[in-house]
């Protein structure tokens, strides 16, 4: 499961402004959960899977261009951060797959 | 003209770590959608982002990574929307007094789907009327008594819900906020302060239904779907990052 983003939103069930956990799979929002009443909203399983696969494909296709742009902006920062990014990326993708495919079973 | 995106004073009421303005939406933060749209509004020559002090380093990173179209000035806001607007106006005051900034377009970061078309319509209306805001008909609103019964008044009133971006003549807006500060007045939005303290009316222009405000978690799902339907382009294709 990916690390959640925690942010204050108004809960549709308890009606209060409460901390919510937001879980993402790549660029897509997969699940939100109210930290007080537990009210959860999920992106529907089959739609989420197809959306995620399409989004992942688009991210992979544009990755070289995005890396090139970051390199052009900050060559040193890009080079120094590259090893850590390369090592972390597979774990990140596995987490995303778990978020999308495990919960859909 | 200056474009101001208000990203302070949200997400802090319950002590949550995250500021709503920096929630990811379709691969970039809410605030960067608005800043990139402002980059495409050719009337805007300066962009100001009003933030909480604790968000400064995150804001700088987001601007560096996600925002195109030149520099964005950071201003630390206050505990309320009014205080944040006031901070932005004080930051701009020398340029307003010099005549370098003639109009100010203010926008709430919680509305990431502002389109270039809407922003330019509001700017054009403000240049004609002095102040303009986008509104949508709020037809489903009904009056109720203290007992909860429908109040069937014969008086015909039209209710609208106000959106942002809102645009104002800069000298009038700065004067209104300085006068409001003397009185200790705090308006709920920019137009409320302008209406009370500046001469002249605020012109309403039809807003856009897609220009939703992220309040509930389901709004994020809706915003994501709308962006997908718009091919992630709020009038012009934005490079993803």
């Amino acid at each position: 499961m990916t690390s959640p983003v925690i942010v204050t939103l108004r809960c549709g069930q308890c009606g209060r402004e409460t901390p919510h956990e937001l879980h993402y799979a790549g660029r897509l929002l997969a699940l939100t959960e109210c930290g007080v009443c537990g009210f959860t909203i999920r992106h529907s399983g089959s739609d989420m899977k197809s959306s995620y696969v399409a989004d992942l494909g688009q991210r992979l296709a544009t990755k070289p261009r995005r890396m090139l742009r970051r390199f052009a902006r900050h060559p040193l920062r890009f080079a120094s951060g590259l090893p850590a990014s390369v090592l972390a990326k597979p774990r990140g993708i596995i987490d995303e797959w778990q978020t999308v495919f495990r919960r859909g079973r | 003209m200056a474009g101001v995106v208000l990203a302070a004073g949200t997400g802090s009421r319950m002590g949550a770590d995250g500021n709503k303005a920096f929630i990811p939406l379709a691969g970039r933060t809410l605030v960067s959608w608005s800043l990139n749209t402002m980059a495409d509004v050719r009337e805007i020559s300066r962009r100001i982002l009003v933030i909480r002090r604790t968000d400064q380093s995150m804001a700088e990173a987001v601007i560096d990574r996600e925002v195109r179209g030149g520099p964005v000035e950071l201003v630390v806001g206050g505990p309320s929307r009014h205080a944040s607007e006031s901070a932005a106006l004080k930051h701009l005051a020398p340029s307003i007094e010099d005549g370098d900034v003639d109009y100010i377009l203010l926008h709430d970061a919680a509305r990431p789907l502002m389109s270039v078309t809407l922003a330019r319509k509001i700017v054009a209306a403000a240049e004609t009327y002095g102040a303009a805001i986008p509104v949508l008909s709020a037809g489903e609103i009904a009056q109720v008594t203290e007992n909860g019964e429908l109040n069937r008044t014969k008086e015909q009133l039209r209710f609208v819900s106000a959106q942002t971006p809102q645009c104002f003549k800069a000298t009038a807006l700065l004067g209104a906020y300085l006068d409001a500060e003397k009185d200790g007045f705090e308006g709920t939005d920019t137009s409320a302060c302008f209406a009370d303290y500046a001469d002249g009316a605020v012109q309403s222009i039809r807003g856009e239904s897609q220009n939703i405000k992220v309040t509930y978690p389901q709004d994020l799902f809706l915003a994501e779907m709308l962006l997908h339907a718009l091919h992630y382009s709020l009038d012009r294709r934005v490079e993803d990052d």
Side-chain angles (χ1 to χ4, degrees), chain A residues 19-82:
Chain A
H20 279 71
E21 279 191 11
L22 312 180
H23 291 267
Y24 290 84
R27 297 186 294 193
L28 302 175
L29 182 59
L31 180 155
T32 70
E33 183 178 3
C34 173
V36 173
C37 74
F39 182 56
T40 300
I41 305 173
R42 292 174 192 273
H43 196 138
S44 72
S46 56
D47 183 47
M48 181 72 202
K49 286 172 190 167
S50 58
S51 298
Y52 173 74
V53 170
D55 186 61
L56 181 63
Q58 210 262 341
R59 281 159 60 202
L60 290 172
T62 58
K63 190 69 178 171
R65 193 184 68 205
R66 287 181 287 132
M67 288 176 72
L68 198 62
R69 193 166 61 227
R70 282 177 205 156
F71 174 73
R73 271 192 213 164
H74 304 290
L76 282 177
R77 194 192 301 173
F78 177 84
S80 62
L82 191 60

Side-chain angles (χ1 to χ4, degrees), chain A residues 6-10 17-20, chain B residues 11-16 18 20:
Chain A
I6 301 190
V7 70
T8 300
L9 293 168
R10 182 167 296 163
E17 295 213 345
T18 59
H20 279 71
Chain B
S12 58
R13 293 177 188 87
M14 295 291 291
K20 191 160 67 174

